[in-house]
């Protein structure tokens, strides 16, 4: 065995404890870690013939690179709809790396960790008040969840038209209806060969809305003259968290032949707010749903999951079946995620979710969601009452979309955001809404409290006064 490897094997306790000490030091000062850092050009690096060993490498990372780590897991990182990681989720993620399972099967030889993934999906179905008619699995993010769901949707449309797209490929285009699809859904359509140009844009409701106009949707359905299609609806748009009328869409699904996909990457968690759960009424009638775990579930990155109705399981296998799939008959009788998802190799992604759901339960997550919503409303009220700012849309859930007010608002908004982010005390992202340059603050972190909102309000006042 290589000398360095053998030494690390014998001193693995020291290496892992040193690693944990470094991580805990970061977490314990997370409130003061900057949300943005200035990055100089990186030093050139070469691969040495003889490595440093684990302990020395940790020290080199600490000295050279830890300063690049921003507080993306902290309470004032409000860009990209980024959650943090609860303590229990971190515990699960550490163990997922240690156990290093290739999660595929729930029985047989070699690996049965899919049993825990099945149980985690059941916990999530309970959390989201969805029936056990759905089956699910974990993927790397909302993009791959959308890809998985829309891949099965593609196979369904082909099946309706007498085609096996999984085997024969796309031999003709077909339509995808949507009003404000997220960029990840558009990317998924591109990767699936469906083509973003085949999206039929449905009108949105008037009055600063991003939700589907149901009247226009039905008219566009009628214009397809019975041709099967895919509908991508929003369980919370990214800019203003507007929800399509899912109950009305459920009624249309009873009348017309289409695959209904809901992108509820973070908006699905509204089910836990007593004042907002009505926004998801009817979503149990969907064929597929995307939800992102590293947003409001507050588990580490590269964790999202899909829900697809079990009635489509054969179509799902036709889409993702491995070439040497060993089963005959119902694929659920000889289950392997290998045949239901894009990846052949899979990290034990369900374990952090299992840990955090088991640790904090429904009430724990209800408190996080309702606290984050309260914080967003408070920030929105501050912006609405401040003469230097304007809301670009109402605060509907956990996201605040705003800009500077007055003349030259577009250019001033960009300057303001740069100066605000330069403080390193809060991070927000630029956006465009209704033809205007804006700023988006998405609050989904389990650590965020009203004290963080008050700190940022003072900071915003200070920065805008200096423009």
């Amino acid at each position: 065995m290589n000398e360095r490897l053998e030494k690390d094997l014998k001193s693995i306790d020291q290496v892992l404890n040193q690693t944990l000490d470094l991580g805990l030091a970061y977490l314990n000062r997370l409130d003061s870690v900057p949300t943005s850092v200035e990055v100089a050009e990186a030093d050139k690096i070469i691969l040495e013939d003889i490595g440093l060993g684990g302990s020395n490498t940790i020290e080199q990372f600490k000295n050279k690179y830890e300063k690049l780590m921003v507080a993306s897991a902290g309470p004032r990182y409000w860009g990209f709809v980024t959650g943090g990681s609860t303590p229990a989720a971190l515990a699960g993620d550490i163990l997922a790396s240690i156990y290093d399972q290739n999660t595929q099967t729930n029985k047989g030889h070699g690996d049965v960790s899919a049993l825990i993934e099945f149980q985690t999906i059941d916990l999530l179905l309970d959390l989201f008040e969805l029936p056990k008619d759905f089956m699910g699995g974990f993927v790397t993010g909302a993009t791959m969840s959308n890809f998985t769901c829309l891949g099965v949707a593609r196979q369904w449309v082909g099946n309706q038209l007498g085609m096996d797209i999984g085997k024969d490929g796309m031999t003709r285009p077909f339509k995808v209806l949507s009003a404000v699809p997220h960029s990840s859904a558009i990317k998924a359509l591109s990767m699936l060969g469906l083509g973003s140009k085949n999206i039929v844009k449905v009108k949105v409701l008037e009055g600063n809305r991003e939700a589907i106009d149901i009247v226009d949707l039905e008219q566009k359905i009628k214009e397809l003259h019975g041709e099967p299609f895919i509908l991508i609806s929003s369980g919370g748009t990214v800019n203003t968290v507007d929800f399509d009328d899912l109950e009305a869409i459920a009624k249309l699904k009873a009348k017309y032949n289409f695959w209904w996909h809901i992108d509820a990457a973070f908006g699905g968690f509204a089910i836990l707010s007593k004042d907002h759960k009505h926004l998801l009424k009817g979503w149990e009638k969907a064929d597929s749903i995307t939800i992102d775990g590293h947003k409001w579930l507050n588990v580490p990155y590269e964790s999202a999951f899909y829900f697809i109705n079990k009635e489509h399981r054969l179509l799902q296998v036709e889409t993702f079946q491995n070439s040497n799939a060993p089963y005959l008959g119902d694929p659920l009788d000889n289950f392997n995620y290998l045949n239901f998802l894009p990846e052949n190799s899979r990290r034990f992604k369900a374990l952090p979710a299992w840990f955090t759901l088991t640790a904090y339960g429904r009430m724990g997550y209800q408190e996080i969601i309702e606290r984050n919503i309260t914080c967003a409303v408070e920030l929105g009220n501050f912006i609405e009452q401040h003469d230097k700012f304007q809301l670009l849309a109402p605060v509907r859930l956990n996201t605040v979309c705003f800009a500077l007010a007055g003349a030259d608002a577009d250019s001033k908004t960009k300057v303001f955001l740069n100066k605000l982010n330069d403080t390193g005390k809060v991070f927000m992202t630029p956006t465009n809404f209704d033809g205007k340059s804006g700023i988006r603050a998405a609050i989904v972190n389990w650590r965020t409290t009203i004290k963080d909102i008050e700190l940022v309000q003072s900071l915003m006042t200070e920065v805008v006064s200096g423009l």
Side-chain angles (χ1 to χ4, degrees), residues 11 16 58 92 94 182 242 261-262 271 315 360 364 378 386 421:
S11 60
L16 292 183
I58 292 167
I94 290 168
H182 188 264
D242 208 351
H261 174 62
I262 302 175
I271 198 75
L315 294 172
Y360 310 118
E378 174 65 24
H386 200 294
N421 285 339

Side-chain angles (χ1 to χ4, degrees), residues 21 24 40-41 68 129 154 170 177 252 259 278 423:
D21 286 344
L24 287 173
E41 186 175 346
L68 303 181
E129 301 178 18
R154 182 188 68 173
M170 291 282 294
L177 274 60
L252 290 178
W259 179 284
H278 67 278
T423 67

